[in-house]
PDB file of all heavy atoms in Angstrom:
ATOM      1  N   ASP A 336      12.574  40.539 -36.876  1.00  0.00           N
ATOM      2  CA  ASP A 336      11.196  40.428 -36.392  1.00  0.00           C
ATOM      3  C   ASP A 336      11.002  39.125 -35.628  1.00  0.00           C
ATOM      4  O   ASP A 336      10.326  39.083 -34.603  1.00  0.00           O
ATOM      5  CB  ASP A 336      10.196  40.443 -37.563  1.00  0.00           C
ATOM      6  CG  ASP A 336       9.972  41.843 -38.094  1.00  0.00           C
ATOM      7  OD1 ASP A 336      10.471  42.804 -37.469  1.00  0.00           O
ATOM      8  OD2 ASP A 336       9.309  41.972 -39.145  1.00  0.00           O
ATOM      9  N   SER A 337      11.564  38.060 -36.158  1.00  0.00           N
ATOM     10  CA  SER A 337      11.418  36.754 -35.531  1.00  0.00           C
ATOM     11  C   SER A 337      12.125  36.732 -34.169  1.00  0.00           C
ATOM     12  O   SER A 337      11.569  36.251 -33.174  1.00  0.00           O
ATOM     13  CB  SER A 337      11.976  35.674 -36.462  1.00  0.00           C
ATOM     14  OG  SER A 337      12.021  34.434 -35.810  1.00  0.00           O
ATOM     15  N   VAL A 338      13.335  37.287 -34.120  1.00  0.00           N
ATOM     16  CA  VAL A 338      14.056  37.347 -32.842  1.00  0.00           C
ATOM     17  C   VAL A 338      13.245  38.150 -31.829  1.00  0.00           C
ATOM     18  O   VAL A 338      13.074  37.736 -30.674  1.00  0.00           O
ATOM     19  CB  VAL A 338      15.461  37.958 -33.027  1.00  0.00           C
ATOM     20  CG1 VAL A 338      16.131  38.216 -31.679  1.00  0.00           C
ATOM     21  CG2 VAL A 338      16.335  37.044 -33.880  1.00  0.00           C
ATOM     22  N   LEU A 339      12.711  39.290 -32.265  1.00  0.00           N
ATOM     23  CA  LEU A 339      11.935  40.141 -31.354  1.00  0.00           C
ATOM     24  C   LEU A 339      10.675  39.429 -30.852  1.00  0.00           C
ATOM     25  O   LEU A 339      10.319  39.544 -29.674  1.00  0.00           O
ATOM     26  CB  LEU A 339      11.515  41.432 -32.065  1.00  0.00           C
ATOM     27  CG  LEU A 339      12.429  42.641 -31.928  1.00  0.00           C
ATOM     28  CD1 LEU A 339      11.748  43.850 -32.535  1.00  0.00           C
ATOM     29  CD2 LEU A 339      12.813  42.914 -30.475  1.00  0.00           C
ATOM     30  N   ALA A 340       9.997  38.710 -31.746  1.00  0.00           N
ATOM     31  CA  ALA A 340       8.780  37.994 -31.339  1.00  0.00           C
ATOM     32  C   ALA A 340       9.122  36.964 -30.261  1.00  0.00           C
ATOM     33  O   ALA A 340       8.386  36.803 -29.275  1.00  0.00           O
ATOM     34  CB  ALA A 340       8.133  37.320 -32.548  1.00  0.00           C
ATOM     35  N   ILE A 341      10.244  36.292 -30.424  1.00  0.00           N
ATOM     36  CA  ILE A 341      10.680  35.290 -29.443  1.00  0.00           C
ATOM     37  C   ILE A 341      11.042  35.965 -28.116  1.00  0.00           C
ATOM     38  O   ILE A 341      10.605  35.544 -27.045  1.00  0.00           O
ATOM     39  CB  ILE A 341      11.852  34.463 -30.009  1.00  0.00           C
ATOM     40  CG1 ILE A 341      11.333  33.552 -31.138  1.00  0.00           C
ATOM     41  CG2 ILE A 341      12.537  33.649 -28.915  1.00  0.00           C
ATOM     42  CD1 ILE A 341      12.413  32.857 -31.934  1.00  0.00           C
ATOM     43  N   VAL A 342      11.821  37.035 -28.210  1.00  0.00           N
ATOM     44  CA  VAL A 342      12.220  37.768 -27.000  1.00  0.00           C
ATOM     45  C   VAL A 342      10.973  38.272 -26.265  1.00  0.00           C
ATOM     46  O   VAL A 342      10.851  38.134 -25.036  1.00  0.00           O
ATOM     47  CB  VAL A 342      13.163  38.940 -27.374  1.00  0.00           C
ATOM     48  CG1 VAL A 342      13.308  39.922 -26.217  1.00  0.00           C
ATOM     49  CG2 VAL A 342      14.526  38.396 -27.802  1.00  0.00           C
ATOM     50  N   ASP A 343      10.023  38.827 -27.010  1.00  0.00           N
ATOM     51  CA  ASP A 343       8.799  39.345 -26.390  1.00  0.00           C
ATOM     52  C   ASP A 343       8.059  38.236 -25.643  1.00  0.00           C
ATOM     53  O   ASP A 343       7.644  38.419 -24.499  1.00  0.00           O
ATOM     54  CB  ASP A 343       7.853  39.927 -27.454  1.00  0.00           C
ATOM     55  CG  ASP A 343       8.328  41.284 -27.941  1.00  0.00           C
ATOM     56  OD1 ASP A 343       9.146  41.917 -27.236  1.00  0.00           O
ATOM     57  OD2 ASP A 343       7.883  41.709 -29.022  1.00  0.00           O
ATOM     58  N   TRP A 344       7.922  37.098 -26.288  1.00  0.00           N
ATOM     59  CA  TRP A 344       7.161  36.006 -25.663  1.00  0.00           C
ATOM     60  C   TRP A 344       7.863  35.474 -24.416  1.00  0.00           C
ATOM     61  O   TRP A 344       7.245  35.290 -23.371  1.00  0.00           O
ATOM     62  CB  TRP A 344       6.936  34.859 -26.671  1.00  0.00           C
ATOM     63  CG  TRP A 344       5.983  33.838 -26.145  1.00  0.00           C
ATOM     64  CD1 TRP A 344       4.624  33.849 -26.245  1.00  0.00           C
ATOM     65  CD2 TRP A 344       6.321  32.661 -25.379  1.00  0.00           C
ATOM     66  NE1 TRP A 344       4.091  32.752 -25.600  1.00  0.00           N
ATOM     67  CE2 TRP A 344       5.100  32.005 -25.064  1.00  0.00           C
ATOM     68  CE3 TRP A 344       7.524  32.100 -24.940  1.00  0.00           C
ATOM     69  CZ2 TRP A 344       5.052  30.822 -24.331  1.00  0.00           C
ATOM     70  CZ3 TRP A 344       7.476  30.917 -24.196  1.00  0.00           C
ATOM     71  CH2 TRP A 344       6.247  30.294 -23.903  1.00  0.00           C
ATOM     72  N   PHE A 345       9.173  35.273 -24.532  1.00  0.00           N
ATOM     73  CA  PHE A 345       9.890  34.684 -23.393  1.00  0.00           C
ATOM     74  C   PHE A 345       9.908  35.613 -22.178  1.00  0.00           C
ATOM     75  O   PHE A 345       9.779  35.149 -21.049  1.00  0.00           O
ATOM     76  CB  PHE A 345      11.312  34.263 -23.793  1.00  0.00           C
ATOM     77  CG  PHE A 345      11.345  32.889 -24.391  1.00  0.00           C
ATOM     78  CD1 PHE A 345      10.988  32.688 -25.720  1.00  0.00           C
ATOM     79  CD2 PHE A 345      11.670  31.779 -23.632  1.00  0.00           C
ATOM     80  CE1 PHE A 345      10.976  31.413 -26.277  1.00  0.00           C
ATOM     81  CE2 PHE A 345      11.665  30.495 -24.178  1.00  0.00           C
ATOM     82  CZ  PHE A 345      11.323  30.323 -25.498  1.00  0.00           C
ATOM     83  N   PHE A 346      10.066  36.913 -22.411  1.00  0.00           N
ATOM     84  CA  PHE A 346      10.139  37.799 -21.246  1.00  0.00           C
ATOM     85  C   PHE A 346       8.757  38.192 -20.740  1.00  0.00           C
ATOM     86  O   PHE A 346       8.587  38.450 -19.546  1.00  0.00           O
ATOM     87  CB  PHE A 346      11.048  38.991 -21.533  1.00  0.00           C
ATOM     88  CG  PHE A 346      12.497  38.569 -21.587  1.00  0.00           C
ATOM     89  CD1 PHE A 346      13.154  38.403 -22.799  1.00  0.00           C
ATOM     90  CD2 PHE A 346      13.187  38.277 -20.420  1.00  0.00           C
ATOM     91  CE1 PHE A 346      14.477  37.974 -22.856  1.00  0.00           C
ATOM     92  CE2 PHE A 346      14.512  37.845 -20.455  1.00  0.00           C
ATOM     93  CZ  PHE A 346      15.152  37.695 -21.670  1.00  0.00           C
ATOM     94  N   LYS A 347       7.757  38.197 -21.610  1.00  0.00           N
ATOM     95  CA  LYS A 347       6.387  38.408 -21.137  1.00  0.00           C
ATOM     96  C   LYS A 347       5.994  37.277 -20.180  1.00  0.00           C
ATOM     97  O   LYS A 347       5.289  37.496 -19.197  1.00  0.00           O
ATOM     98  CB  LYS A 347       5.436  38.449 -22.339  1.00  0.00           C
ATOM     99  CG  LYS A 347       4.001  38.820 -21.968  1.00  0.00           C
ATOM    100  CD  LYS A 347       3.105  38.932 -23.202  1.00  0.00           C
ATOM    101  CE  LYS A 347       2.703  37.547 -23.663  1.00  0.00           C
ATOM    102  NZ  LYS A 347       2.004  37.523 -24.953  1.00  0.00           N
ATOM    103  N   ASN A 348       6.474  36.094 -20.454  1.00  0.00           N
ATOM    104  CA  ASN A 348       6.111  34.920 -19.649  1.00  0.00           C
ATOM    105  C   ASN A 348       7.228  34.482 -18.699  1.00  0.00           C
ATOM    106  O   ASN A 348       7.268  33.322 -18.267  1.00  0.00           O
ATOM    107  CB  ASN A 348       5.711  33.772 -20.580  1.00  0.00           C
ATOM    108  CG  ASN A 348       4.468  34.114 -21.384  1.00  0.00           C
ATOM    109  OD1 ASN A 348       3.431  34.418 -20.815  1.00  0.00           O
ATOM    110  ND2 ASN A 348       4.580  34.099 -22.699  1.00  0.00           N
ATOM    111  N   GLN A 349       8.122  35.415 -18.360  1.00  0.00           N
ATOM    112  CA  GLN A 349       9.311  35.036 -17.589  1.00  0.00           C
ATOM    113  C   GLN A 349       8.972  34.442 -16.214  1.00  0.00           C
ATOM    114  O   GLN A 349       9.683  33.562 -15.730  1.00  0.00           O
ATOM    115  CB  GLN A 349      10.263  36.219 -17.445  1.00  0.00           C
ATOM    116  CG  GLN A 349       9.705  37.414 -16.689  1.00  0.00           C
ATOM    117  CD  GLN A 349      10.674  38.602 -16.702  1.00  0.00           C
ATOM    118  OE1 GLN A 349      11.722  38.566 -17.343  1.00  0.00           O
ATOM    119  NE2 GLN A 349      10.325  39.669 -15.990  1.00  0.00           N
ATOM    120  N   ASP A 350       7.903  34.908 -15.600  1.00  0.00           N
ATOM    121  CA  ASP A 350       7.606  34.408 -14.248  1.00  0.00           C
ATOM    122  C   ASP A 350       7.210  32.931 -14.264  1.00  0.00           C
ATOM    123  O   ASP A 350       7.382  32.226 -13.268  1.00  0.00           O
ATOM    124  CB  ASP A 350       6.506  35.246 -13.593  1.00  0.00           C
ATOM    125  CG  ASP A 350       6.987  36.672 -13.316  1.00  0.00           C
ATOM    126  OD1 ASP A 350       8.224  36.877 -13.287  1.00  0.00           O
ATOM    127  OD2 ASP A 350       6.145  37.575 -13.162  1.00  0.00           O
ATOM    128  N   ILE A 351       6.692  32.477 -15.396  1.00  0.00           N
ATOM    129  CA  ILE A 351       6.375  31.048 -15.553  1.00  0.00           C
ATOM    130  C   ILE A 351       7.623  30.263 -15.966  1.00  0.00           C
ATOM    131  O   ILE A 351       7.861  29.166 -15.482  1.00  0.00           O
ATOM    132  CB  ILE A 351       5.267  30.879 -16.622  1.00  0.00           C
ATOM    133  CG1 ILE A 351       3.941  31.431 -16.085  1.00  0.00           C
ATOM    134  CG2 ILE A 351       5.128  29.422 -17.057  1.00  0.00           C
ATOM    135  CD1 ILE A 351       2.919  31.721 -17.164  1.00  0.00           C
ATOM    136  N   LEU A 352       8.413  30.849 -16.859  1.00  0.00           N
ATOM    137  CA  LEU A 352       9.519  30.100 -17.467  1.00  0.00           C
ATOM    138  C   LEU A 352      10.747  30.006 -16.558  1.00  0.00           C
ATOM    139  O   LEU A 352      11.445  28.983 -16.566  1.00  0.00           O
ATOM    140  CB  LEU A 352       9.914  30.744 -18.802  1.00  0.00           C
ATOM    141  CG  LEU A 352       8.779  30.818 -19.834  1.00  0.00           C
ATOM    142  CD1 LEU A 352       9.251  31.540 -21.091  1.00  0.00           C
ATOM    143  CD2 LEU A 352       8.277  29.416 -20.189  1.00  0.00           C
TER     144      LEU A 352
END
Side-chain angles (χ1 to χ4, degrees):
D336 282 352
S337 172
V338 171
L339 267 188
I341 290 170
V342 165
D343 284 341
W344 189 87
F345 274 80
F346 288 102
K347 186 177 79 188
N348 296 303
Q349 62 185 5
D350 293 341
I351 291 162
L352 301 177

